[in-house]
Amino acid sequence: MSAPERTRPIHVPASGPPQIDRPSPEILEAIGQDGVFRMLADFYGELERSELRRWFPEDMGAASERSAAFFVQLLGGPPLFNERYGPPRMRMRHFPFEIDEAARRIWLDAFHRVVDAAPANYGFPAEHVDGFRAFLDGFSTWMVNAAPDETASS
């Protein structure tokens, strides 16, 4: 995996970081760390079949485990991500990739497919699906770091 050379400057939304609620820790209580890791493995399976595949390392399993460590920590579990990789700083970690709204939608749609099936597949509490989806929406909005290509609309 290597990020292509940026062609557009890093974009910062005028609204700044989203003011969103973290997902409920009840999710981790219900599905456990193993459930988070399985859910993220399935999400990365979706990404592997997407247009975003080129942005990920050959070993999607390692990428999936890295993200799962982040989500375990986010859901109130042990600080797996910090211990293994350092502070999350997710927006900064994504700067090498020009993430525009189209890429965000592909990522978000892939995650939504997995989350929608999560109650049946991992015991994800159905009452927390909407809140988790809302978190993903706000989080992914903040990952957008490439302004719309204004020449495409003229």
Side-chain angles (χ1 to χ4, degrees):
M1 164 200 76
S2 69
E5 188 173 324
R6 288 192 70 93
T7 60
R8 295 184 271 179
I10 292 176
H11 168 72
V12 179
S15 60
Q19 301 303 309
I20 52 177
D21 292 329
R22 292 180 105 149
S24 173
E26 291 177 6
I27 297 167
L28 183 63
E29 292 169 15
I31 70 174
Q33 289 184 40
D34 182 58
V36 173
F37 277 79
R38 287 187 301 120
M39 185 171 76
L40 270 291
D42 290 345
F43 168 55
Y44 273 74
E46 292 285 330
L47 291 176
E48 192 161 25
R49 294 182 293 277
S50 80
E51 297 170 49
L52 304 181
R53 176 62 180 101
R54 70 188 184 283
W55 287 352
F56 292 91
E58 188 173 326
D59 182 1
M60 288 292 271
S64 166
E65 289 181 12
R66 189 177 195 116
S67 288
F70 170 75
F71 276 94
V72 165
Q73 183 169 317
L74 177 74
L75 292 167
L80 300 180
F81 193 93
N82 282 36
E83 290 170 354
R84 296 175 185 176
Y85 312 108
R89 298 183 181 133
M90 288 302 174
R91 183 166 163 81
M92 182 190 74
R93 289 178 185 269
H94 288 82
F95 280 167
F97 307 96
E98 288 187 8
I99 302 170
D100 59 14
E101 183 59 26
R104 179 185 93 82
R105 286 297 335 163
I106 293 167
W107 183 92
L108 192 58
D109 290 347
F111 221 140
H112 282 175
R113 286 191 294 277
V114 172
V115 171
D116 289 348
N121 291 346
Y122 324 105
F124 193 107
E127 65 273 18
H128 293 299
V129 167
D130 288 344
F132 195 78
R133 286 176 63 119
F135 170 81
L136 294 173
D137 185 61
F139 176 80
S140 64
T141 298
W142 185 235
M143 294 301 105
V144 172
N145 61 32
D149 183 358
E150 296 180 16
T151 60
S153 61
S154 40

